Amino acid sequence: MPIPNLLNEIISYITDNFSNEVIIAALATLVVSIVKLIDYKVKDSQSKSDNMHNNFNATLDGLKSDSATKRITSAILLRRYINDLNIWRTTTPYKQDALNVISSLLRITPCGEFQKTLADSLSFTRSIHNQDFQYTNLQNAIIKVANNTSIDFSNVDFYMADLSYASINNAKCRNTIFKCCNMRNTTFRGCNLNDCDFGGANLEGVRFLDNTTLYNANFKGAINIPLDIYPHLNEDGKYCRNTPTTNYAKTNNEK
């Protein structure tokens, strides 16, 4: 039965079997119930927002603690504000603030457990594209999103960052800036490094593995470039081969 006809029959049944007073009372009760439900939802949403705000501020306070354990715990808790690995790819309203905190701390934090915990946090988001990570200390970081999910590093600025001994996996790094980076023994696995800028970077021991692509990447001014890359560089220092790399691991200082 079509819905309009069904509704007409229901309305007809109600008007035939109930008085106007009963119908009006039922409608009034329904309206009051709906208003209360809406009011509850609004207050509940505001309460959740206030709790998240308070928890975020408490996490930031923990990052400043004199206790190393509390600092590391807070760094781990900070990950939930950038985590968008759920099926809906949603995150909290504090993702940008959390990323800014992570990048800022990585500029002033020496190598150690706290620094590595902050750096590894980038494995908990699908994207940091267009972010400023200049001068950050990402040494020893392992960036690998769960279930081989790719992470978007496109247009990120890593100028003068320390990526030595870092492992970056399944990252899309189109137009990413690696100028003057310390990339000693950095490993890229399954990454798209097309159009990246490695100018002035130290590539001693760097490895490009598992079908990493480098098309149009700029190596002009870089030092310790892997030997196998040289034949594919044009006069402007750009990588011309448009197929995935082989396993580039040897530098011009190695035998």
Side-chain angles (χ1 to χ4, degrees), residues 34-227:
I34 292 174
V35 170
K36 287 185 176 181
L37 178 62
I38 293 174
D39 183 60
Y40 169 78
K41 288 293 185 181
V42 170
K43 290 181 178 178
D44 184 56
S45 176
Q46 183 61 50
S47 176
K48 289 180 178 178
S49 177
D50 291 342
N51 286 337
M52 182 179 293
H53 179 73
N54 293 335
N55 289 336
F56 183 67
N57 284 336
T59 301
L60 296 186
D61 288 340
L63 295 171
K64 300 180 291 184
S65 173
D66 292 331
S67 167
T69 300
K70 188 170 184 178
R71 287 199 304 273
I72 292 175
T73 301
S74 297
I76 293 173
L77 292 175
L78 193 61
R79 295 171 179 177
R80 59 184 169 176
Y81 298 100
I82 66 171
N83 193 330
D84 54 5
L85 302 180
N86 54 73
I87 191 172
W88 298 279
R89 300 191 178 188
T90 56
T91 187
T92 72
Y94 296 95
K95 177 179 179 179
Q96 186 60 57
D97 291 331
L99 286 175
N100 289 340
V101 169
I102 290 171
S103 61
S104 296
L105 287 174
L106 286 174
R107 291 188 178 99
I108 61 175
T109 305
C111 294
E113 290 299 321
F114 182 52
Q115 170 265 333
K116 180 167 168 49
T117 302
L118 288 168
D120 289 352
S121 295
L122 299 183
S123 296
F124 289 82
T125 180
R126 295 175 186 268
S127 174
I128 62 166
H129 70 281
N130 295 320
Q131 297 295 314
D132 179 4
F133 273 75
Q134 293 186 31
Y135 300 99
T136 51
N137 180 2
L138 291 160
Q139 186 177 134
N140 298 310
I142 298 176
I143 300 172
K144 183 178 182 180
V145 181
N147 301 319
N148 291 321
T149 301
S150 63
I151 180 171
D152 188 359
F153 278 2
S154 298
N155 299 299
V156 175
D157 190 350
F158 287 108
Y159 176 76
M160 289 288 289
D162 186 351
L163 289 157
S164 57
Y165 298 93
S167 176
I168 301 175
N169 303 268
N170 301 312
K172 178 184 177 183
C173 302
R174 293 291 301 269
N175 296 302
T176 301
I177 297 173
F178 293 107
K179 291 188 68 174
C180 302
C181 281
N182 178 7
M183 305 184 81
R184 186 169 180 263
N185 294 312
T186 304
T187 299
F188 292 94
R189 295 182 184 275
C191 295
N192 180 342
L193 300 173
N194 296 349
D195 301 303
C196 285
D197 189 351
F198 294 100
N202 178 8
L203 303 177
E204 181 182 357
V206 71
R207 298 192 298 169
F208 301 107
L209 308 177
D210 299 342
N211 295 319
T212 290
T213 58
L214 288 164
Y215 182 69
N216 208 41
N218 177 31
F219 287 89
K220 188 173 184 179
I223 61 174
N224 298 316
I225 300 171
L227 283 175

